[in-house]
Amino acid sequence: QKEVEQNSGPLSVPEGAIASLNCTYSDRGSQSFFWYRQYSGKSPELIMFIYSNGDKEDGRFTAQLNKASQYVSLLIRDSQPSDSATYLCAVNIGGYQKVTFGIGTKLQVIP
Amino acid sequence: NAGVTQTPKFQVLKTGQSMTLQCAQDMNHNSMYWYRQDPGMGLRLIYYSASEGTTDKGEVPNGYNVSRLNKREFSLRLESAAPSQTSVYFCASSEAYLAGGRDEQFFGPGTRLTVL
C-alpha cells in the first residue's frame, strides 16, 4: 500500500461545478496535510494546508481532514477553466520534516 | 527575491556521463530537498537536508549524491547517468517548522533531464 494514495484521474467537471479531490494516507501519526497545485510544465505551488480535523476554507477552496478515517479532501467551488491542473496531496509522515506526495489528480474544468 | 533557482533547465546526457544539478534559495530556509517526478509516479524524494551540514536519503537515493554547500545551496550529482534517471528534477526548500506546523515547500522551476 502506498503511503499517500490519490486517483490519478482525469477528473472532468463543468465550469461552475464543485470539484472534489480525495486523498488517503497510511500513517496514523501524520500531523500536517498539504494540497499543491501543479500546472502542466510548471512546478508545484501550495494552495492549502490543514492540520486539524474538520474543514478549512480559503476562498473557493475547502480542505477537509478526517484523521480517524485517514483521508483528506479538497473541494473547489465554482470551478474555472484556470483550475485545470494536477493537484498533489502531501502528508507529513511520522513527524519528520519531509513529506510524502501522492501521484496527483488531474483536474479538467470544461467551459 | 528569486526564490528557488535551478540550473540547468534542460540537459541531455549519454549513459555513463556525470553531471551536477545546482539549486539555490534566497529565503534563508533551513531545509532543502531534491525530488524527481515521473509520469504516474508523482514526486519522489531523492535526498533532503534538514539543516545546513546534514543530508539524508529519501525514497529513491540510489545513483545520486548530494552536497549541502552552505545554507543557500544544495546540489545533486549523478555520477554515472542511466536511462532510468530520465526525469524532471525539482529542488525545494522550506523553513521547517516543528512537525504539525505549516511547512510549505517552495519549488524551483525544475530541470528536465534526458539520458540516452
Side-chain angles (χ1 to χ4, degrees):
Chain A
Q1 181 189 6
K2 290 187 178 180
E3 291 180 303
V4 180
E5 297 218 40
Q6 293 183 261
N7 188 318
S8 61
L11 173 66
S12 295
V13 299
E15 184 175 355
I18 296 175
S20 177
L21 300 98
N22 299 311
C23 170
T24 59
Y25 60 94
S26 60
D27 187 350
R28 287 193 172 275
S30 300
Q31 299 183 39
S32 302
F33 307 86
F34 307 83
W35 283 99
Y36 285 82
R37 178 176 63 199
Q38 185 176 25
Y39 291 113
S40 180
K42 302 295 185 182
S43 54
E45 57 178 341
L46 184 72
I47 55 171
M48 289 293 286
F49 159 75
I50 187 168
Y51 65 91
S52 298
N53 273 329
D55 295 359
K56 179 180 180 181
E57 188 174 317
D58 184 1
R60 296 186 296 112
F61 298 98
T62 299
Q64 300 176 316
L65 175 61
N66 184 321
K67 289 186 178 181
S69 300
Q70 294 176 247
Y71 82 78
V72 56
S73 61
L74 179 70
L75 301 178
I76 305 175
R77 291 182 300 281
D78 188 23
S79 295
Q80 301 297 309
S82 59
D83 295 325
S84 297
T86 296
Y87 290 80
L88 303 169
C89 172
V91 179
N92 170 247
I93 298 289
Y96 294 99
Q97 291 164 341
K98 59 185 175 73
V99 298
T100 298
F101 285 82
I103 64 171
T105 299
K106 185 173 183 178
L107 173 66
Q108 296 176 337
V109 180
I110 312 301
Chain B
N1 283 351
V4 180
T5 57
Q6 291 183 238
T7 55
K9 287 188 168 53
F10 300 92
Q11 184 71 49
V12 179
L13 292 177
K14 294 181 179 178
T15 297
Q17 288 185 318
S18 62
M19 78 162 297
T20 299
L21 282 65
Q22 306 286 353
C23 174
Q25 51 93 8
D26 62 3
M27 295 173 282
N28 200 36
H29 284 167
N30 291 310
S31 296
M32 298 185 73
Y33 312 82
W34 276 106
Y35 294 92
R36 61 178 289 173
Q37 187 172 40
D38 303 290
M41 302 294 291
L43 278 165
R44 292 183 292 169
L45 184 65
I46 305 171
Y47 272 93
Y48 70 104
S49 172
S51 61
E52 186 179 357
T54 68
T55 60
D56 286 287
K57 295 178 180 180
E59 182 184 354
V60 288
N62 291 345
Y64 305 95
N65 284 300
V66 291
S67 296
R68 183 75 183 264
L69 304 170
N70 47 55
K71 193 171 186 179
R72 289 187 65 248
E73 298 172 289
F74 189 38
S75 62
L76 178 72
R77 182 160 179 84
L78 287 70
E79 291 291 352
S80 179
S84 60
Q85 294 178 305
T86 293
S87 188
V88 180
Y89 291 85
F90 288 103
C91 177
S93 70
S94 71
E95 193 161 346
Y97 294 104
L98 295 174
R102 177 192 172 107
D103 189 23
E104 177 179 0
Q105 293 192 19
F106 293 83
F107 287 81
T111 294
R112 283 144 184 83
L113 175 66
T114 300
V115 183
L116 302 175

